[in-house]
Amino acid sequence: MSCRWGTELWDQFDNLEKHTHWGIEFVERYTKFVKERSEIEISYAKQIRNLSKKYQPKKNSREEDEYKYTSCRAFLMTLNELNDYAGQHEVIAENLTTHIICELTRYIQELKAERKSHFHDGRRAQQHIENSWKQLESSKRRFERDCKEADRAQQYFDKIDADINVTKADVEKARQQAQLKHQVAEDSKNEYLTYLQKFNKEQNEHYYSLIPHIFQKIQEMEEKRIEKVGESMKTYAEVNRKVLPIVSKCLDGMTNAAASIEPTMVSSLVVESFKSGFEPPGDVEVEDYSLSMRRTVSESSYLNSRGEGKPSRSNSRGKLWPFKRNKLMSLLASPRQPPPPPPTSPSPGAMPNGPQSPQQPKEPLSHRLNEFMTSKHKMQCLRSLTRGGSGPEDCSHLPPEQRRKKLQAKINDINKELQKEVDQRDALTKMKDVYVKNPHMGDPNSVDPRLEEIGQNIDKLELDSRKYEAWLLEVETRLAEKSDPHRRQSGLYDSNATTPVNNNCAPVNRESPDGSYTEDHSTEHHLKSRSTDFDDDFDDEDPLPTIGTCKSLYPFEGQNEGTISMAEGELLYVIEEDKGDGWTRVRRNEDEEGYVPTSYIKVFFDTNAKGAMTYI
């Protein structure tokens, strides 16, 4: 099947013109499609980048600490891979713009100019053949007219020549006129034949040479246009295919990030982050209320041998007892529980000298007492830190394990700063040596102030490093002592060997419910003597003096006897300090007073208040 437009479509000039115009419009429409696809890719990449940026950890925020866990690090890796994934869509948009949109836009302009040139040549050839045809028609009509005039002149001559009445001169004139007309007709015939020959030649050239040549160029132009569109579509696919390996790598990175999550490691990090180093409290001792109500007085008990026989008074508020005497037995039978946040501690009315559960090996008594007395303070300071406070320099407000980690981190930071200062000192020393050898390069004395400043910084950092290392050694020694069962057992034996036994109802080293230790026999006489004063104060009508104020850090609902409820941020008056059992006695007004957890308040003591040390 022939596919030459010049021979097959020689008479379809107008249709070819319409078809080529549609072809250009199609290229323009395809270019617009690719442009809109590129805009979609750019918008999509921008949204993906914004999404990745939105969930990136903020600088100097608490979220940075979360990325020590493998799941959080995997999420961060996923965000980074997603950012690279968005970059590949930007690459698609860029390649579409460069390799397709710009190329097709330039080609469309060239295609329009080429099409215009080809159809201009075709119109000019068509105009030429039409003009030649008009000339042929004109010579033909002229030849026809001259032949008719020659025929009429011949007929007139024949008529005059047959008429005997006509003179010889008229006959001769008619004959000459007829001959002239015949000559004009003959010239018109020759001209017509010449134009006819010329037209046939031009027409043959037009339809068999010129028009086929022009149509062939138009055909080549159209085929090139179609080929260009095909190449663009192929490029369109290749642009998307080229980024697939990188996109696949991004997806592989996300898969690897998910595979890197280690639940066991996360659990270990949780232990490392929150481990306090404290030991769990010992067993809660049995308090047998079936025995006689006369009990040996200890620091955690408010009963004494004299107070049982005295009658209670209805207006005993403001005295040592946080409850009326007729409520004493109910409180002893059902002691209130310690507050949840601080370490468990006995209630103010707990009786410490009853029978207890079997003892576990314990550390020396003085060491455990000191540790317990400081642990509550540390926990309170730790809570204040979580609410924006600041702790001491030696991190003593933290639990032992957390303190060790904090001190080690500070030592590492100091060592880094120290190394920077040493490097700067070495560099300045070399510079000074160069200045000494080459005075024209600079003054050696100009470096001395900076060297002196760096030397002072190094001395300060070394002093801080030794200071923190001493604190770290102290913490590690205490942790090692706790973790060594043999050392703890030997400490127990030493304590038992050096402590006399004066009380058959209680062991030498007894453990309170919160893990602290008391020595009943060493404090019995002192507390008994002090209980006399307590009973005297109980019988006295004057309220206890105010020794300071306090501000509640947390809300507390005093649901048990002897306690008082308080709201967060409330200001109260302190009338009795914490004696080591975790409770402080406060007063709201003349009618409301009771005990609140010490770790729930921040105390401001009045050093000028009289009687401030009376109840310590």
Side-chain angles (χ1 to χ4, degrees):
M1 181 178 178
S2 177
C3 59
R4 295 180 62 85
W5 289 10
T7 56
E8 302 295 332
L9 303 177
W10 62 271
D11 57 344
Q12 300 298 321
F13 184 87
D14 293 339
N15 288 332
L16 289 180
E17 186 176 15
K18 293 178 182 179
H19 175 75
T20 52
H21 180 70
W22 169 85
I24 293 176
E25 289 181 343
F26 174 76
V27 177
E28 290 177 340
R29 186 157 59 98
Y30 178 74
T31 305
K32 185 178 179 181
F33 157 75
V34 177
K35 184 177 181 180
E36 291 182 359
R37 165 68 191 279
S38 176
E39 293 174 352
I40 290 174
E41 292 291 342
I42 293 176
S43 176
Y44 178 69
K46 182 179 180 180
Q47 293 180 13
I48 291 295
R49 285 192 183 277
N50 291 338
L51 179 65
S52 176
K53 183 179 180 181
K54 177 181 178 181
Y55 286 93
Q56 289 282 350
K58 305 297 186 298
K59 292 184 178 180
N60 300 325
S61 68
R62 187 175 59 86
E63 294 180 0
E64 289 186 348
D65 297 336
E66 299 175 357
Y67 284 87
K68 62 186 177 182
Y69 303 114
T70 55
S71 56
C72 295
R73 288 203 303 268
F75 180 53
L76 180 60
M77 293 171 62
T78 301
L79 294 178
N80 294 333
E81 294 293 347
L82 188 63
N83 195 53
D84 296 340
Y85 177 82
Q88 297 311 306
H89 285 275
E90 292 177 347
V91 171
I92 291 177
E94 182 180 356
N95 290 337
L96 290 177
T97 302
T98 304
H99 301 304
I100 297 180
I101 298 175
C102 295
E103 288 290 332
L104 288 183
T105 302
R106 179 182 57 81
Y107 175 71
I108 288 173
Q109 300 301 325
E110 296 177 355
L111 184 62
K112 288 181 178 180
E114 184 179 0
R115 175 183 176 275
K116 182 178 180 181
S117 175
H118 292 329
F119 281 97
H120 177 72
D121 294 341
R123 289 191 184 92
R124 187 171 59 182
Q126 191 72 23
Q127 187 67 31
H128 179 74
I129 195 66
E130 290 176 358
N131 292 336
S132 180
W133 172 257
K134 289 179 181 180
Q135 289 179 356
L136 177 62
E137 287 292 323
S138 178
S139 63
K140 179 182 177 181
R141 287 193 298 270
R142 188 165 54 251
F143 171 61
E144 182 182 7
R145 186 179 67 250
D146 290 346
C147 287
K148 288 180 180 180
E149 289 179 355
D151 187 47
R152 286 195 299 269
Q154 185 64 35
Q155 290 177 1
Y156 179 73
F157 169 71
D158 291 342
K159 181 180 179 182
I160 292 297
D161 186 40
D163 191 357
I164 57 174
N165 296 322
V166 178
T167 61
K168 187 177 181 179
D170 291 337
V171 174
E172 184 65 22
K173 183 178 178 182
R175 184 178 63 80
Q176 292 180 356
Q177 187 67 29
Q179 291 178 350
L180 179 62
K181 293 295 184 180
H182 280 288
Q183 184 63 37
V184 172
E186 188 67 24
D187 293 340
S188 297
K189 179 181 179 181
N190 293 333
E191 182 181 359
Y192 168 68
L193 293 174
T194 301
Y195 278 111
L196 179 60
Q197 184 180 5
K198 178 182 177 183
F199 174 76
N200 289 334
K201 181 180 178 181
E202 291 179 351
Q203 182 177 249
N204 182 72
E205 183 180 2
H206 177 78
Y207 288 108
Y208 291 95
S209 177
L210 187 59
I211 289 298
H213 179 70
I214 294 174
F215 280 15
Q216 186 64 30
K217 290 184 177 179
I218 295 175
Q219 181 181 357
E220 293 175 356
M221 177 193 72
E222 189 67 10
E223 290 176 353
K224 185 177 179 181
R225 176 191 67 82
I226 297 173
E227 182 181 3
K228 191 72 175 178
V229 172
E231 292 177 354
S232 298
M233 291 183 177
K234 183 179 179 180
T235 304
Y236 177 87
E238 290 297 327
V239 164
N240 290 271
R241 183 178 287 109
K242 285 181 179 179
V243 302
L244 290 181
I246 304 179
V247 171
S248 179
K249 289 183 179 179
C250 294
L251 298 178
D252 291 341
M254 296 180 187
T255 304
N256 295 335
S260 66
I261 298 177
E262 299 181 5
T264 306
M265 182 178 294
V266 174
S267 300
S268 301
L269 288 176
V270 172
V271 173
E272 182 181 351
S273 299
F274 302 109
K275 181 179 178 182
S276 65
F278 293 130
E279 293 184 8
D283 295 339
V284 178
E285 300 172 358
V286 177
E287 299 187 10
D288 192 354
Y289 294 101
S290 62
L291 301 178
S292 173
M293 288 304 298
R294 294 188 176 184
R295 305 179 187 274
T296 304
V297 179
S298 67
E299 280 190 332
S300 61
S301 174
Y302 294 96
L303 290 176
N304 53 66
S305 58
R306 294 176 55 192
E308 294 179 358
K310 294 184 179 182
S312 60
R313 299 185 181 183
S314 60
N315 57 351
S316 60
R317 58 174 179 80
K319 303 301 180 293
L320 179 64
W321 299 100
F323 35 73
K324 295 182 179 180
R325 184 61 64 92
N326 58 2
K327 296 181 180 180
L328 175 60
M329 297 306 299
S330 63
L331 179 61
L332 292 176
S334 177
R336 53 189 169 88
Q337 299 295 326
T344 57
S345 59
S347 61
M351 303 299 296
N353 291 331
Q356 64 177 12
S357 59
Q359 294 293 311
Q360 297 177 352
K362 300 179 180 62
E363 294 178 3
L365 180 61
S366 59
H367 177 70
R368 291 300 303 270
L369 277 175
N370 292 334
E371 179 184 356
F372 173 70
M373 294 302 291
T374 57
S375 64
K376 288 182 289 184
H377 172 68
K378 292 178 181 178
M379 296 300 293
Q380 182 175 358
C381 295
L382 183 59
R383 293 189 183 93
S384 66
L385 278 179
T386 58
R387 293 176 172 261
S390 60
E393 186 180 9
D394 61 351
C395 303
S396 58
H397 61 287
L398 298 176
E401 186 66 28
Q402 301 298 323
R403 183 187 180 192
R404 182 190 64 80
K405 290 174 55 181
K406 190 69 173 179
L407 291 174
Q408 186 63 54
K410 288 188 176 182
I411 291 174
N412 295 337
D413 293 340
I414 291 174
N415 290 336
K416 291 180 181 179
E417 293 295 330
L418 184 60
Q419 186 61 39
K420 290 181 181 179
E421 295 292 340
V422 170
D423 293 341
Q424 291 185 11
R425 182 185 62 182
D426 295 342
L428 289 176
T429 303
K430 292 180 180 179
M431 182 184 296
K432 183 176 180 180
D433 294 340
V434 172
Y435 288 167
V436 171
K437 296 178 181 179
N438 303 283
H440 63 279
M441 298 182 65
D443 183 11
N445 297 328
S446 62
V447 187
D448 292 339
R450 179 57 180 165
L451 281 175
E452 183 179 356
E453 180 183 355
I454 292 177
Q456 294 176 358
N457 294 339
I458 291 176
D459 294 340
K460 182 178 181 302
L461 289 173
E462 290 178 347
L463 180 62
D464 292 342
S465 179
R466 290 192 295 269
K467 177 173 61 176
Y468 282 106
E469 287 175 355
W471 288 333
L472 179 61
L473 179 61
E474 175 190 352
V475 176
E476 291 178 344
T477 303
R478 294 188 63 182
L479 290 175
E481 291 177 356
K482 289 183 179 181
S483 62
D484 190 352
H486 299 288
R487 184 177 300 178
R488 293 179 57 192
Q489 188 70 22
S490 63
L492 175 63
Y493 294 154
D494 294 341
S495 177
N496 291 335
T498 57
T499 306
V501 179
N502 295 329
N503 190 355
N504 295 328
C505 298
V508 176
N509 293 336
R510 69 178 301 275
E511 184 178 11
S512 63
D514 62 352
S516 62
Y517 293 83
T518 58
E519 294 184 75
D520 298 334
H521 61 274
S522 63
T523 57
E524 182 178 358
H525 176 72
H526 174 69
L527 291 179
K528 281 185 177 181
S529 62
R530 203 169 61 182
S531 63
T532 305
D533 299 333
F534 287 169
D535 286 336
D536 294 337
D537 291 338
F538 180 78
D539 295 333
D540 193 4
E541 294 295 330
D542 296 330
L544 292 176
T546 300
I547 62 175
T549 58
C550 66
K551 180 180 180 181
S552 62
L553 301 176
Y554 315 97
F556 174 71
E557 296 180 2
Q559 298 179 354
N560 297 320
E561 288 290 338
T563 62
I564 184 174
S565 61
M566 61 181 178
E568 183 177 357
E570 184 177 3
L571 295 177
L572 301 170
Y573 296 97
V574 179
I575 59 177
E576 185 176 346
E577 284 188 65
D578 183 1
K579 296 181 174 60
D581 55 0
W583 300 88
T584 299
R585 191 175 182 185
V586 298
R587 177 189 296 139
R588 179 178 286 110
N589 49 46
E590 293 182 358
D591 298 326
E592 292 183 84
E593 64 181 45
Y595 285 87
V596 296
T598 305
S599 59
Y600 275 48
I601 60 175
K602 184 175 183 181
V603 181
F604 306 93
F605 288 111
D606 185 3
T607 57
N608 297 325
K610 296 183 178 179
M613 302 301 293
T614 303
Y615 303 98
I616 299 178

